[in-house]
Amino acid sequence: MGLSQTLLFYALVCVHLGVSQHHLHLRPSPSDHLPVPVLKEDPDPEYDPREQDLAERTLRKKLGSNFDPNFMSITSPMLANHSASDNQVKLQGPMPNEIKKLDLTETPYGKRVKVGKKARRKFLQWLWTYTHCPVVHTWKDLGVRFWPRYIKEGNCFSERSCSFPEGMSCKSAKSIHKIILRWYCQGFLRQKYCTWIQVQYPIISECKCSC
């Protein structure tokens, strides 16, 4: 997806190669699979940031205007009280032209049938609802080596087929990126050097019904 299919600095290499973070070179790796899968991390707490490395004021300054409270949270948003409408699936924008212009009077046998305006409107609305592919947002805990550690990801609705007849499914069509901080270590144990670096985290922003 070009620029919209954003890059994670080295983090996704962990997933594909299964290597520890302190063995990695600082190189960008494209993500072809969204949302981003769970990263394989070195479990050694020696590579975790210390309490003094997690000073909110310092990290906010380092992240600057990239901090987006709509997609990021310092504390666990899973524990907050959210209304049931937060993840409610809603139709957005005007009805697609390919649905609006459907000719419901023509049959496969060449005969034409009468369809009332009310019946046509109801059927097209049902078809739009059935084939609509919303982006469903859920919060994800990235762990202590990311800041902010909680990010709101986009997922494509996949509980059923989005086509009539069935066969197609909702898939990622567009993505945006959000810049967050990643705790990055080079070297080993006492010889290691760790610091916060900025990384781009891709998030699904649009889904479409496709094969």
Side-chain angles (χ1 to χ4, degrees), residues 178-189:
K178 295 295 175 181
I179 295 178
I180 57 177
L181 300 178
R182 165 69 159 159
W183 185 247
Y184 175 69
C185 294
Q186 290 180 301
F188 300 91
L189 300 176

Side-chain angles (χ1 to χ4, degrees), residues 10 19 41 44 46 48-49 60 67 95 112 123 127 130-131 152-153 172 185 188 194 197-198 207:
Y10 83 85
V19 293
E41 298 272 18
D44 190 342
E46 283 289 327
D48 289 346
R60 274 187 177 271
F67 184 86
M95 182 181 291
R112 301 184 73 83
F123 177 77
L127 188 61
Y130 191 88
T131 58
K152 187 190 283 185
E153 285 193 322
S172 171
C185 294
F188 300 91
C194 300
I197 61 171
Q198 290 190 352
C207 301

Side-chain angles (χ1 to χ4, degrees), residues 141-168:
D141 182 358
L142 299 178
V144 73
R145 294 174 188 173
F146 286 90
W147 196 93
R149 67 179 289 173
Y150 301 99
I151 196 156
K152 187 190 283 185
E153 285 193 322
N155 297 270
C156 295
F157 186 76
S158 58
E159 292 183 11
R160 58 167 175 78
S161 173
C162 57
S163 63
F164 184 79
E166 294 185 356
M168 300 170 75

Side-chain angles (χ1 to χ4, degrees), residues 77-147:
M78 282 80 88
L79 301 178
N81 292 321
H82 293 293
S83 64
S85 62
D86 285 350
N87 266 341
Q88 190 175 356
V89 175
K90 294 180 180 179
L91 295 174
Q92 296 179 344
M95 182 181 291
N97 284 331
E98 56 266 29
I99 295 179
K100 190 186 298 184
K101 294 180 179 180
L102 277 177
D103 185 359
L104 303 181
T105 63
E106 190 173 336
T107 69
Y109 309 104
K111 292 185 178 182
R112 301 184 73 83
V113 294
K114 273 191 174 184
V115 179
K117 288 185 178 180
K118 188 175 181 181
R120 172 185 168 81
R121 186 172 63 251
K122 284 188 174 182
F123 177 77
L124 292 183
Q125 185 69 27
W126 171 85
L127 188 61
W128 184 21
T129 303
Y130 191 88
T131 58
H132 179 58
C133 286
V135 177
V136 181
H137 290 99
T138 54
W139 285 98
K140 182 177 182 179
D141 182 358
L142 299 178
V144 73
R145 294 174 188 173
F146 286 90
W147 196 93

